[in-house]
Amino acid sequence: MMITTEPRMTNLFLQLGLDASAEGIAGFIRGHQLPAGVEVAEAPYWNDAQRQFLSESLQADAAWTTVVDELNESLHEDAVKAATGR
């Protein structure tokens, strides 16, 4: 299946079957922070299809890679703040 939508955070959330509204994205990121050693595709809250999509997006250096990287960074904000003391 060829994905023709432009890779943006809202489209990533739609692709993952999640609430893609600004509030939904912000709430998800706030409520699903990851510890420093956990990669985004390894997070325990994904189902198999979501995990596979995220993993393949990162490995394939696909159009989605940048957006998945952004999500990964967002989900690690608390861990980074704790590590840096900010």
Side-chain angles (χ1 to χ4, degrees):
M1 181 177 97
M2 189 69 187
I3 301 166
T4 55
T5 53
E6 185 181 329
R8 289 196 309 261
M9 193 64 74
T10 51
N11 290 330
L12 176 60
F13 271 65
L14 289 171
Q15 192 70 26
L16 294 170
L18 301 170
D19 180 354
S21 68
E23 299 80 19
I25 292 170
F28 183 89
I29 290 170
R30 255 193 326 275
H32 293 84
Q33 289 292 301
L34 293 170
V38 178
E39 292 294 322
V40 64
E42 297 167 0
Y45 40 77
W46 303 123
N47 66 34
D48 289 342
Q50 290 169 324
R51 188 172 292 110
Q52 182 177 358
F53 175 78
L54 291 167
S55 183
E56 288 176 1
S57 294
L58 290 170
Q59 291 171 359
D61 199 28
W64 289 102
T65 303
T66 303
V67 183
V68 174
D69 278 341
E70 286 175 27
L71 177 61
N72 185 46
E73 287 177 21
S74 296
L75 292 172
H76 285 93
E77 282 176 359
D78 286 357
V80 170
K81 286 177 189 165
T84 59
R86 289 187 205 166

